[in-house]
Amino acid sequence: MSIRRNARWEDMEKGNIDLSRLIKHFESFNRSEGKSPSTLEWYTYVLEFFRNWLEECGLSTALEDIGEYEVREFILYLQERQVNGRPLSSHTVANRVRGLKGFFSWLGTQGYTNGNVLEKLKVPKTDQRLVEVLTPKEVDRLFSAINANSALGARNSAMVALFLDAGLRLSELTNLKEEDVHLDDRYVKVMGKGSKERMLPLGARCHRAMLHYYYHFRPEPLHTGINTFFLTLDGYPLTPRAVRSLVARLSRSAEVPRLHPHLFRHTYATHFLINGGDLLLLKQNLGHSSLTMVEHYRHVASQIAAVTSRGFSPLDHMHAPSLRRHKRKDGTSTGQTYPNAGRPRGQDLARRSGARVK
């Protein structure tokens, strides 16, 4: 008769556990912590992609065989990988590395590994490119491309207005409940990441677009279980995929090729600061937990302000005479300028001869 011993977790062998089993445990853990479905889906995608790469390379997927070296090789693969003939962006690579670091940090916390095996691994640097937000002229083109006096146009116009006026994420817009849209008081309640609710005011233009859609064109929900504000013509909830599709069509019709749903959020944040908004208030409105996430928008806003500051040119406000470059007989310029630049030639000759200039 075999005697069972009272095994302790810290004494159990965990190195032979396959990565697929750990990924499922990690997903269950995050779900119990209240992580959003999109966050769960993203983590699972990143981790499964990493596991599939290990298999394709003929490498073991057992926990004890995966460490910093394998992850660094995976990073090199991502940096060289191309999708549709184009390499992955540095931000995509960095985000996937953050996902792996988060997973291995959790493994250390749960006791699967002796500490975080990726603790010394740094996230690759990303390109610090300024986001080219929508200009006022481009925004006008977007609304001009929508027929707000039709059922689809009224809905799409209201969605674009809400994107631009409140800076909603795509998931926040599609999950917006009818009961959370307070048109009489001109604000909406939004459930953001981490189940954090926030209230956002509506400007006059956005308010009019929302009223126009709600009272004239919004269909009745197909059944009582549907309570989202934006609906299809048949009364179904709008999906994120459907919104991406209509934004893509709008991009072509308005001739704004770089348009995508998140660009509306970038545009809102940047112009909020340009118009004098406070950085702390912007953090609250966007639903971020730290100022680090909104500092980038301040940099973009300052760059746009710098470009538009040509109207404050010191020299232009001094009313200085136009500078004239000396020209040779062959018509070429020496590049030199002279004190008499801008004076009529006759006036200058009179000054040289001592004659009185009238």
Side-chain angles (χ1 to χ4, degrees):
M1 179 179 177
S2 61
I3 300 176
R4 292 180 177 271
R5 106 180 144 89
N6 186 23
R8 295 188 303 177
W9 172 250
E10 56 267 25
D11 298 329
M12 294 176 63
E13 176 59 42
K14 297 178 278 289
N16 59 354
I17 301 177
D18 190 81
L19 197 59
S20 59
R21 183 178 173 184
L22 296 170
I23 292 172
K24 290 180 180 178
H25 184 189
F26 185 56
E27 182 181 356
S28 299
F29 176 85
N30 284 331
R31 185 179 288 109
S32 68
E33 291 287 302
K35 295 289 192 297
S36 68
S38 58
T39 299
L40 297 173
E41 183 180 351
W42 179 80
Y43 267 117
T44 301
Y45 170 78
V46 170
L47 297 175
E48 288 289 354
F49 190 92
F50 175 60
R51 184 184 181 281
N52 291 337
W53 173 82
L54 290 171
E55 287 187 334
E56 290 174 3
C57 294
L59 300 174
S60 171
T61 57
L63 179 60
E64 62 184 358
D65 298 322
I66 304 171
E68 184 178 328
Y69 173 79
E70 287 73 23
V71 174
R72 287 192 181 277
E73 288 294 311
F74 178 64
I75 294 173
L76 292 176
Y77 163 74
L78 292 177
Q79 291 173 335
E80 296 172 358
R81 184 170 184 259
Q82 292 197 350
V83 177
N84 297 325
R86 299 177 60 183
L88 295 178
S89 72
S90 60
H91 292 275
T92 298
V93 175
N95 284 337
R96 294 191 181 181
V97 174
R98 289 190 186 96
L100 288 173
K101 282 179 66 69
F103 174 64
F104 277 90
S105 175
W106 174 81
L107 289 175
T109 303
Q110 295 296 310
Y112 282 109
T113 57
N114 294 323
N116 181 3
V117 298
L118 297 184
E119 185 176 3
K120 296 181 180 180
L121 179 70
K122 294 183 178 180
V123 176
K125 292 183 178 180
T126 57
D127 299 331
Q128 298 300 317
R129 297 182 180 180
L130 293 177
V131 178
E132 188 181 355
V133 300
L134 296 169
T135 65
K137 288 184 179 180
E138 288 174 326
V139 171
D140 286 342
R141 290 214 306 269
L142 293 178
F143 283 108
S144 297
I146 302 173
N147 178 14
N149 288 318
S150 66
L152 282 177
R155 184 200 65 192
N156 296 348
S157 181
M159 286 195 299
V160 171
L162 190 59
F163 266 138
L164 287 168
D165 204 49
L168 269 62
R169 299 179 178 94
L170 175 58
S171 59
E172 293 171 347
L173 182 132
T174 53
N175 291 327
L176 185 65
K177 302 294 187 290
E178 180 183 7
E179 63 197 45
D180 292 331
V181 178
H182 300 265
L183 292 176
D184 290 342
D185 298 316
R186 288 178 55 174
Y187 74 91
V188 295
K189 284 199 301 184
V190 176
M191 185 63 71
K193 287 186 176 181
S195 300
K196 296 177 183 177
E197 191 176 64
R198 64 188 192 275
M199 296 169 58
L200 298 166
L202 301 177
R205 188 174 178 181
C206 178
H207 186 229
R208 287 196 298 269
M210 298 277 284
L211 285 172
H212 184 62
Y213 166 65
Y214 185 70
Y215 286 110
H216 297 301
F217 292 105
R218 183 177 181 270
E220 287 294 323
L222 190 65
H223 55 77
T224 56
I226 297 175
N227 60 352
T228 52
F229 184 79
F230 292 108
L231 303 171
T232 66
L233 294 181
D234 298 326
Y236 288 100
L238 266 182
T239 64
R241 183 177 181 180
V243 177
R244 289 193 192 96
S245 178
L246 71 88
V247 170
R249 293 194 299 271
L250 181 59
S251 169
R252 292 189 293 269
S253 60
E255 297 182 350
V256 185
R258 70 182 188 286
L259 184 67
H260 56 86
H262 210 67
L263 186 59
F264 291 122
R265 185 170 165 89
H266 291 320
T267 301
Y268 161 79
T270 302
H271 284 278
F272 181 89
L273 293 176
I274 290 175
N275 294 335
D278 180 73
L279 200 64
L280 287 172
L281 184 56
L282 176 62
K283 177 182 78 71
Q284 175 182 315
N285 287 356
L286 290 176
H288 288 311
S289 57
S290 69
L291 282 174
T292 305
M293 299 295 292
V294 297
E295 280 289 345
H296 176 70
Y297 293 118
R298 181 164 66 175
H299 182 56
V300 175
S302 65
Q303 293 298 314
I304 294 176
V307 172
T308 58
S309 66
R310 61 175 63 93
F312 303 107
S313 167
L315 185 59
D316 289 350
H317 284 74
M318 290 178 186
H319 304 292
S322 300
L323 296 178
R324 185 178 65 195
R325 298 196 178 277
H326 177 69
K327 290 187 178 180
R328 301 188 182 96
K329 291 182 179 180
D330 61 359
T332 61
S333 173
T334 64
Q336 301 174 359
T337 58
Y338 294 88
N340 64 342
R343 295 199 192 110
R345 182 171 177 78
Q347 182 179 359
D348 187 56
L349 290 174
R351 289 184 183 278
R352 290 184 185 178
S353 63
R356 185 178 180 183
V357 181
K358 295 182 179 180

